[in-house]
Amino acid sequence: MTVVAFSLARFTPADLAEFYEIARPRMERGLWAGVSRQTSPDGDLLLVTFPHMDRPVFRFERDRRGTYTLWFHDRQGWHSIGSGSTSTECLSIWRTRPARVPAPALREA
């Protein structure tokens, strides 16, 4: 039996599920216009576009070493805003955090 190793330069099904768990609600609310994928021997990219913009604003990638990086594009170029050895670690910046509950006001007696 021949076993073909999974390429480190490709997102796994679990990586894609992790990403789309974050992306789907944003697309449903109209915050993101869409996501496109580009795959090459050097890596795998998911490009996020915003409504009324002609270029991607976020780029989530996995390179040939298996490293994940999240990028943001402003008018100056791409800037790394997250990285990690897993998709969960890299995308943690987008995970919703519980709302902070204000401390109860102190009442003077």
Side-chain angles (χ1 to χ4, degrees):
M1 173 179 11
T2 303
V3 176
V4 177
F6 192 84
S7 170
L8 290 177
R10 296 288 306 267
F11 289 123
T12 67
D15 296 336
L16 295 172
E18 177 84 21
F19 179 83
Y20 281 105
E21 182 181 322
I22 293 167
R24 193 168 291 110
R26 287 168 170 81
M27 292 190 311
E28 288 171 355
R29 290 192 315 256
L31 300 174
W32 291 3
V35 176
S36 62
R37 185 174 183 183
Q38 296 178 356
T39 302
S40 75
D42 293 326
D44 212 350
L45 306 173
L46 292 172
L47 300 165
V48 176
T49 54
F50 282 1
H52 311 295
M53 294 191 75
D54 60 349
R55 62 172 171 74
V57 178
F58 291 111
R59 180 176 82 203
F60 177 51
E61 70 180 15
R62 187 172 188 192
D63 66 21
R64 69 171 70 186
R65 295 176 314 220
T67 303
Y68 299 86
T69 309
L70 182 60
W71 302 87
F72 171 72
H73 191 281
D74 63 10
R75 290 189 168 99
Q76 306 300 312
W78 290 104
H79 306 279
S80 174
I81 58 172
S83 64
S85 58
T86 67
S87 59
T88 302
E89 183 180 330
C90 182
L91 296 172
S92 66
I93 191 171
W94 279 339
R95 284 283 172 207
T96 56
R97 293 172 180 85
R100 292 189 346 179
V101 177
L106 296 176
R107 294 176 26 185
E108 292 184 32

